[in-house]
Amino acid sequence: MSVVELLVVIAVIAIIGSIALPQIISARRILRFGGVTREVLTQLRYARQQAMSTRLAHTFRYDDAKKQIVIINNGETGVGNSQPDQIVRTVSLAGAGLDAFEIVYGALPGAPTSLDDGTTLTPLTNNQVNIIFQPDGSVLNSSQIPVNYALFFYGQSYPKETAVAISVLGAAGRVKVWRYDRNANKYAE
């Protein structure tokens, strides 16, 4: 092999590498955002499991300002028994190559804010969403009526590729993941 042939091979490899590199970086960001979905799902299931195993209500709190999840043991109050609320776990969604500004709470602009299971986007209250799992695994409001929640997230840089929703059905506490289908402009289970 001559020097000219070697230079041609190196040039072809450099051209192919320069074309593929942006796509590889894009794919890595999309994969990293998948970690956000898995973490939210894991922590929702953990809060529900803790409520059922300890027989005490547990709160799953998503804090959008801090981009973190806090699991709280709601303690127990009653005659002669008073245990304060305790933070069981705090998990940051940012990190591992994903900046906090990249995580956006809310439905993708132009996409629906409701899911096929009847849940709709849960608005933030004081930059937070609080989901309280009861000892039987359900999610009830103060009137003891089941409440459904839907948390919508997407990545700032690749919104259509990363848009997801996670619903919690109050009566059973069932947690489901929905991915955005840009062709149908809807979230699919």
Side-chain angles (χ1 to χ4, degrees):
M1 182 181 286
S2 70
V3 173
V4 173
E5 291 172 330
L6 182 61
L7 290 175
V8 169
V9 169
I10 291 172
V12 168
I13 290 171
I15 291 169
I16 291 172
S18 67
I19 293 170
L21 189 61
Q23 293 175 348
I24 291 169
I25 291 170
S26 158
R28 288 186 67 196
R29 286 187 182 147
I30 292 169
L31 285 173
R32 285 185 189 140
F33 194 83
V36 170
T37 305
R38 285 187 299 277
E39 193 63 55
V40 172
L41 184 64
T42 298
Q43 298 311 319
L44 278 164
R45 289 179 174 160
Y46 176 78
R48 182 174 186 266
Q49 183 267 332
Q50 286 297 308
M52 294 172 70
S53 66
T54 63
R55 306 299 297 157
L56 295 172
H58 276 65
T59 300
F60 167 95
R61 175 177 293 154
Y62 170 69
D63 186 328
D64 194 49
K66 296 178 182 176
K67 305 296 185 197
Q68 75 177 14
I69 296 168
V70 178
I71 307 298
I72 302 166
N73 175 337
N74 291 16
E76 187 174 353
T77 57
V79 178
N81 188 13
S82 178
Q83 297 176 356
D85 294 353
Q86 296 177 349
I87 293 176
V88 176
R89 178 182 283 184
T90 302
V91 177
S92 176
L93 294 180
L98 190 65
D99 294 322
F101 75 87
E102 182 69 23
I103 303 166
V104 179
Y105 180 83
L108 186 65
T113 58
S114 61
L115 304 171
D116 288 345
D117 64 1
T119 58
T120 58
L121 172 64
T122 302
L124 296 169
T125 305
N126 297 324
N127 262 339
Q128 296 179 345
V129 172
N130 290 300
I131 301 173
I132 302 172
F133 289 95
Q134 301 301 316
D136 65 356
S138 65
V139 179
L140 307 174
N141 66 13
S142 59
S143 301
Q144 301 302 304
I145 297 171
V147 181
N148 297 335
Y149 291 87
L151 309 173
F152 286 66
F153 295 95
Y154 64 90
Q156 180 89 14
S157 300
Y158 302 95
K160 291 184 179 177
E161 292 83 1
T162 57
V164 296
I166 301 171
S167 64
V168 179
L169 301 178
R174 181 172 180 218
V175 180
K176 298 192 287 186
V177 175
W178 305 76
R179 303 213 184 280
Y180 179 69
D181 179 351
R182 69 171 116 181
N183 296 326
N185 189 33
K186 66 180 270 184
Y187 290 86
E189 187 175 4

